Amino acid sequence: MDDFKNQKCLHKRYAYQIVLQTREMLRAMPSLVDITVSDGNHFTVCGDIHGQYFDLLNIFEINGLPSQENPYLFNGDFVDRGSFSLEVILTLFAFKCMCPSAIYLARGNHESKSMNKIYGFEGEVKSKLSETFVELFAEVFCCLPLAHVIKQQGLCCPWRSFSVDGVKLSQIREIDRFSCSHLRKHPLADLIVRSHEVKDEGYEIEHDGKLITVFSAPNYCDQMGNKGAFIRFKAPELKPDIVSFSAVPHPDVKPMAYANNFLRMFS
């Protein structure tokens, strides 16, 4: 993490080890992951990071590093747009390898090959590692779970992918995320935490508190001026405690620096 902070690259050998080990761990996980939080303990949910590595470090500074006693869920959209996406994803994957119960990762719409080709992650991976890693990351992203349930009381889903009401959690468990089919139905839960959209304060509460959007990339793309946020849940009540934070400085590498040339003209 310190090397990344100083804009140093990880040797390809170690990057391979991290990504391959993460792939094996994710392959063994179900599409819907159950998370139990023991009474007196807490659990933190973060939204989109979008390659803003220095803001990720700030989250860890505010809330502590991921550990068995301080677990996190990152709710999709780790990469693209921000120009430190590789540092973000390797850091999250490394924590997953070091302590699987310290960190949980859900798939967002930017964990896909087509989005990565346009919005910068593919170009960044080619520049910092090699083209071989592009295919490897695409494969690993397909292994990411789709959603998480915290102690059977709340459901965390990464993005708006639902259009039909009335579907049970058991039906999500049966989804084969490795096939071409896609999750299109809305499960029932006491509280749904989603991400995917910029919010001025880093979060938004809707539907009488039953739906919370959390977005963890402050001053998105260096121009939106929004705050970031994360949510802490403490058992047994699991009431959401929302923490907002502002952007921190980062090296002078513009967002979308590795993006498709056409998009970069307008960034």
Side-chain angles (χ1 to χ4, degrees), residues 7 51 54 81-84 124 128 222 250-258:
Q7 300 186 74
F54 292 84
R81 300 192 187 276
S83 295
F84 303 95
E124 184 179 344
K128 295 178 180 179
D222 285 358
H250 63 75
D252 189 21
V253 182
K254 302 300 182 187
M256 307 287 283
Y258 301 94

PDB file of all heavy atoms in Angstrom, residues 7 51 54 81-84 124 128 222 250-258:
ATOM      1  N   GLN A   7       3.388   5.698  -5.942  1.00  0.00           N
ATOM      2  CA  GLN A   7       3.259   5.461  -7.387  1.00  0.00           C
ATOM      3  C   GLN A   7       4.273   4.451  -7.910  1.00  0.00           C
ATOM      4  O   GLN A   7       4.784   4.569  -9.021  1.00  0.00           O
ATOM      5  CB  GLN A   7       3.374   6.780  -8.158  1.00  0.00           C
ATOM      6  CG  GLN A   7       2.301   7.794  -7.780  1.00  0.00           C
ATOM      7  CD  GLN A   7       2.346   9.025  -8.649  1.00  0.00           C
ATOM      8  OE1 GLN A   7       1.956   9.007  -9.811  1.00  0.00           O
ATOM      9  NE2 GLN A   7       2.829  10.125  -8.076  1.00  0.00           N
ATOM     10  N   GLY A  51     -11.523   3.680  -8.793  1.00  0.00           N
ATOM     11  CA  GLY A  51     -10.113   3.967  -9.042  1.00  0.00           C
ATOM     12  C   GLY A  51      -9.543   5.126  -8.261  1.00  0.00           C
ATOM     13  O   GLY A  51      -8.437   5.585  -8.563  1.00  0.00           O
ATOM     14  N   PHE A  54      -6.464   7.036  -3.393  1.00  0.00           N
ATOM     15  CA  PHE A  54      -6.098   7.846  -2.237  1.00  0.00           C
ATOM     16  C   PHE A  54      -7.307   8.133  -1.355  1.00  0.00           C
ATOM     17  O   PHE A  54      -7.163   8.322  -0.144  1.00  0.00           O
ATOM     18  CB  PHE A  54      -5.389   9.121  -2.702  1.00  0.00           C
ATOM     19  CG  PHE A  54      -4.046   8.818  -3.310  1.00  0.00           C
ATOM     20  CD1 PHE A  54      -3.937   8.436  -4.644  1.00  0.00           C
ATOM     21  CD2 PHE A  54      -2.895   8.852  -2.544  1.00  0.00           C
ATOM     22  CE1 PHE A  54      -2.712   8.119  -5.200  1.00  0.00           C
ATOM     23  CE2 PHE A  54      -1.660   8.539  -3.082  1.00  0.00           C
ATOM     24  CZ  PHE A  54      -1.562   8.153  -4.418  1.00  0.00           C
ATOM     25  N   ARG A  81     -12.646   5.022 -14.665  1.00  0.00           N
ATOM     26  CA  ARG A  81     -12.718   6.481 -14.480  1.00  0.00           C
ATOM     27  C   ARG A  81     -11.525   7.008 -13.701  1.00  0.00           C
ATOM     28  O   ARG A  81     -10.725   7.759 -14.226  1.00  0.00           O
ATOM     29  CB  ARG A  81     -14.051   6.902 -13.861  1.00  0.00           C
ATOM     30  CG  ARG A  81     -15.268   6.527 -14.709  1.00  0.00           C
ATOM     31  CD  ARG A  81     -16.526   7.211 -14.190  1.00  0.00           C
ATOM     32  NE  ARG A  81     -17.724   6.764 -14.872  1.00  0.00           N
ATOM     33  CZ  ARG A  81     -18.183   7.240 -16.022  1.00  0.00           C
ATOM     34  NH1 ARG A  81     -17.508   8.205 -16.634  1.00  0.00           N
ATOM     35  NH2 ARG A  81     -19.282   6.764 -16.563  1.00  0.00           N
ATOM     36  N   GLY A  82     -11.400   6.671 -12.438  1.00  0.00           N
ATOM     37  CA  GLY A  82     -10.206   7.064 -11.701  1.00  0.00           C
ATOM     38  C   GLY A  82      -8.982   6.344 -12.234  1.00  0.00           C
ATOM     39  O   GLY A  82      -9.067   5.197 -12.679  1.00  0.00           O
ATOM     40  N   SER A  83      -7.825   7.000 -12.167  1.00  0.00           N
ATOM     41  CA  SER A  83      -6.621   6.479 -12.823  1.00  0.00           C
ATOM     42  C   SER A  83      -5.701   5.690 -11.899  1.00  0.00           C
ATOM     43  O   SER A  83      -4.533   5.464 -12.216  1.00  0.00           O
ATOM     44  CB  SER A  83      -5.854   7.640 -13.470  1.00  0.00           C
ATOM     45  OG  SER A  83      -6.629   8.204 -14.518  1.00  0.00           O
ATOM     46  N   PHE A  84      -6.251   5.281 -10.750  1.00  0.00           N
ATOM     47  CA  PHE A  84      -5.505   4.403  -9.837  1.00  0.00           C
ATOM     48  C   PHE A  84      -6.328   3.145  -9.562  1.00  0.00           C
ATOM     49  O   PHE A  84      -6.346   2.619  -8.447  1.00  0.00           O
ATOM     50  CB  PHE A  84      -5.186   5.150  -8.540  1.00  0.00           C
ATOM     51  CG  PHE A  84      -4.419   6.423  -8.757  1.00  0.00           C
ATOM     52  CD1 PHE A  84      -5.073   7.640  -8.850  1.00  0.00           C
ATOM     53  CD2 PHE A  84      -3.040   6.410  -8.902  1.00  0.00           C
ATOM     54  CE1 PHE A  84      -4.380   8.815  -9.067  1.00  0.00           C
ATOM     55  CE2 PHE A  84      -2.324   7.579  -9.125  1.00  0.00           C
ATOM     56  CZ  PHE A  84      -2.994   8.796  -9.204  1.00  0.00           C
ATOM     57  N   GLU A 124      -5.238   1.052 -18.345  1.00  0.00           N
ATOM     58  CA  GLU A 124      -4.367   1.156 -17.176  1.00  0.00           C
ATOM     59  C   GLU A 124      -3.646  -0.155 -16.909  1.00  0.00           C
ATOM     60  O   GLU A 124      -2.446  -0.177 -16.609  1.00  0.00           O
ATOM     61  CB  GLU A 124      -5.187   1.576 -15.955  1.00  0.00           C
ATOM     62  CG  GLU A 124      -4.351   1.806 -14.714  1.00  0.00           C
ATOM     63  CD  GLU A 124      -5.182   2.239 -13.520  1.00  0.00           C
ATOM     64  OE1 GLU A 124      -6.350   2.663 -13.704  1.00  0.00           O
ATOM     65  OE2 GLU A 124      -4.673   2.137 -12.384  1.00  0.00           O
ATOM     66  N   LYS A 128       0.392  -0.602 -16.855  1.00  0.00           N
ATOM     67  CA  LYS A 128       1.091  -0.874 -15.608  1.00  0.00           C
ATOM     68  C   LYS A 128       1.516  -2.332 -15.455  1.00  0.00           C
ATOM     69  O   LYS A 128       2.463  -2.623 -14.712  1.00  0.00           O
ATOM     70  CB  LYS A 128       0.214  -0.466 -14.423  1.00  0.00           C
ATOM     71  CG  LYS A 128      -0.053   1.033 -14.358  1.00  0.00           C
ATOM     72  CD  LYS A 128      -0.973   1.393 -13.189  1.00  0.00           C
ATOM     73  CE  LYS A 128      -1.243   2.890 -13.135  1.00  0.00           C
ATOM     74  NZ  LYS A 128      -2.159   3.257 -12.023  1.00  0.00           N
ATOM     75  N   ASP A 222     -12.789  14.191 -10.067  1.00  0.00           N
ATOM     76  CA  ASP A 222     -12.157  15.492  -9.782  1.00  0.00           C
ATOM     77  C   ASP A 222     -13.010  16.689 -10.194  1.00  0.00           C
ATOM     78  O   ASP A 222     -12.475  17.792 -10.373  1.00  0.00           O
ATOM     79  CB  ASP A 222     -10.796  15.596 -10.496  1.00  0.00           C
ATOM     80  CG  ASP A 222      -9.724  14.765  -9.818  1.00  0.00           C
ATOM     81  OD1 ASP A 222     -10.021  14.138  -8.782  1.00  0.00           O
ATOM     82  OD2 ASP A 222      -8.591  14.738 -10.330  1.00  0.00           O
ATOM     83  N   HIS A 250      -4.445  13.885  -4.454  1.00  0.00           N
ATOM     84  CA  HIS A 250      -3.821  12.726  -5.096  1.00  0.00           C
ATOM     85  C   HIS A 250      -2.794  13.214  -6.104  1.00  0.00           C
ATOM     86  O   HIS A 250      -2.809  14.397  -6.487  1.00  0.00           O
ATOM     87  CB  HIS A 250      -4.874  11.839  -5.761  1.00  0.00           C
ATOM     88  CG  HIS A 250      -5.626  12.491  -6.879  1.00  0.00           C
ATOM     89  ND1 HIS A 250      -5.081  12.705  -8.129  1.00  0.00           N
ATOM     90  CD2 HIS A 250      -6.891  12.967  -6.944  1.00  0.00           C
ATOM     91  CE1 HIS A 250      -5.966  13.281  -8.916  1.00  0.00           C
ATOM     92  NE2 HIS A 250      -7.072  13.466  -8.219  1.00  0.00           N
ATOM     93  N   PRO A 251      -1.875  12.349  -6.531  1.00  0.00           N
ATOM     94  CA  PRO A 251      -0.888  12.763  -7.540  1.00  0.00           C
ATOM     95  C   PRO A 251      -1.561  13.312  -8.789  1.00  0.00           C
ATOM     96  O   PRO A 251      -2.709  13.006  -9.096  1.00  0.00           O
ATOM     97  CB  PRO A 251      -0.128  11.459  -7.832  1.00  0.00           C
ATOM     98  CG  PRO A 251      -0.298  10.651  -6.599  1.00  0.00           C
ATOM     99  CD  PRO A 251      -1.664  10.965  -6.079  1.00  0.00           C
ATOM    100  N   ASP A 252      -0.829  14.111  -9.518  1.00  0.00           N
ATOM    101  CA  ASP A 252      -1.382  14.824 -10.669  1.00  0.00           C
ATOM    102  C   ASP A 252      -1.516  13.897 -11.883  1.00  0.00           C
ATOM    103  O   ASP A 252      -0.828  14.046 -12.899  1.00  0.00           O
ATOM    104  CB  ASP A 252      -0.510  16.029 -11.022  1.00  0.00           C
ATOM    105  CG  ASP A 252      -1.171  16.921 -12.073  1.00  0.00           C
ATOM    106  OD1 ASP A 252      -2.403  16.846 -12.211  1.00  0.00           O
ATOM    107  OD2 ASP A 252      -0.448  17.683 -12.739  1.00  0.00           O
ATOM    108  N   VAL A 253      -2.406  12.927 -11.717  1.00  0.00           N
ATOM    109  CA  VAL A 253      -2.802  12.059 -12.824  1.00  0.00           C
ATOM    110  C   VAL A 253      -4.308  12.214 -12.964  1.00  0.00           C
ATOM    111  O   VAL A 253      -5.055  11.910 -12.033  1.00  0.00           O
ATOM    112  CB  VAL A 253      -2.450  10.586 -12.573  1.00  0.00           C
ATOM    113  CG1 VAL A 253      -2.841   9.729 -13.778  1.00  0.00           C
ATOM    114  CG2 VAL A 253      -0.970  10.431 -12.251  1.00  0.00           C
ATOM    115  N   LYS A 254      -4.758  12.732 -14.098  1.00  0.00           N
ATOM    116  CA  LYS A 254      -6.160  13.067 -14.263  1.00  0.00           C
ATOM    117  C   LYS A 254      -7.029  11.815 -14.368  1.00  0.00           C
ATOM    118  O   LYS A 254      -6.587  10.772 -14.851  1.00  0.00           O
ATOM    119  CB  LYS A 254      -6.351  13.928 -15.518  1.00  0.00           C
ATOM    120  CG  LYS A 254      -5.545  15.215 -15.526  1.00  0.00           C
ATOM    121  CD  LYS A 254      -5.901  16.118 -14.358  1.00  0.00           C
ATOM    122  CE  LYS A 254      -5.109  17.424 -14.408  1.00  0.00           C
ATOM    123  NZ  LYS A 254      -5.337  18.242 -13.184  1.00  0.00           N
ATOM    124  N   PRO A 255      -8.280  11.907 -13.940  1.00  0.00           N
ATOM    125  CA  PRO A 255      -9.215  10.811 -14.199  1.00  0.00           C
ATOM    126  C   PRO A 255      -9.333  10.551 -15.691  1.00  0.00           C
ATOM    127  O   PRO A 255      -9.137  11.458 -16.511  1.00  0.00           O
ATOM    128  CB  PRO A 255     -10.546  11.338 -13.635  1.00  0.00           C
ATOM    129  CG  PRO A 255     -10.154  12.368 -12.636  1.00  0.00           C
ATOM    130  CD  PRO A 255      -8.903  12.998 -13.168  1.00  0.00           C
ATOM    131  N   MET A 256      -9.621   9.332 -16.048  1.00  0.00           N
ATOM    132  CA  MET A 256      -9.771   8.911 -17.454  1.00  0.00           C
ATOM    133  C   MET A 256      -8.456   8.988 -18.232  1.00  0.00           C
ATOM    134  O   MET A 256      -8.456   8.978 -19.457  1.00  0.00           O
ATOM    135  CB  MET A 256     -10.836   9.760 -18.157  1.00  0.00           C
ATOM    136  CG  MET A 256     -12.177   9.813 -17.445  1.00  0.00           C
ATOM    137  SD  MET A 256     -13.103   8.290 -17.583  1.00  0.00           S
ATOM    138  CE  MET A 256     -13.728   8.428 -19.257  1.00  0.00           C
ATOM    139  N   ALA A 257      -7.327   9.047 -17.521  1.00  0.00           N
ATOM    140  CA  ALA A 257      -6.038   9.156 -18.211  1.00  0.00           C
ATOM    141  C   ALA A 257      -5.766   7.958 -19.107  1.00  0.00           C
ATOM    142  O   ALA A 257      -5.033   8.071 -20.099  1.00  0.00           O
ATOM    143  CB  ALA A 257      -4.915   9.305 -17.184  1.00  0.00           C
ATOM    144  N   TYR A 258      -6.346   6.797 -18.776  1.00  0.00           N
ATOM    145  CA  TYR A 258      -6.124   5.583 -19.554  1.00  0.00           C
ATOM    146  C   TYR A 258      -7.351   5.193 -20.362  1.00  0.00           C
ATOM    147  O   TYR A 258      -7.412   4.090 -20.910  1.00  0.00           O
ATOM    148  CB  TYR A 258      -5.751   4.426 -18.627  1.00  0.00           C
ATOM    149  CG  TYR A 258      -4.510   4.678 -17.804  1.00  0.00           C
ATOM    150  CD1 TYR A 258      -4.602   5.196 -16.511  1.00  0.00           C
ATOM    151  CD2 TYR A 258      -3.240   4.399 -18.313  1.00  0.00           C
ATOM    152  CE1 TYR A 258      -3.474   5.425 -15.746  1.00  0.00           C
ATOM    153  CE2 TYR A 258      -2.098   4.625 -17.553  1.00  0.00           C
ATOM    154  CZ  TYR A 258      -2.220   5.147 -16.271  1.00  0.00           C
ATOM    155  OH  TYR A 258      -1.097   5.363 -15.524  1.00  0.00           O
TER     156      TYR A 258
END
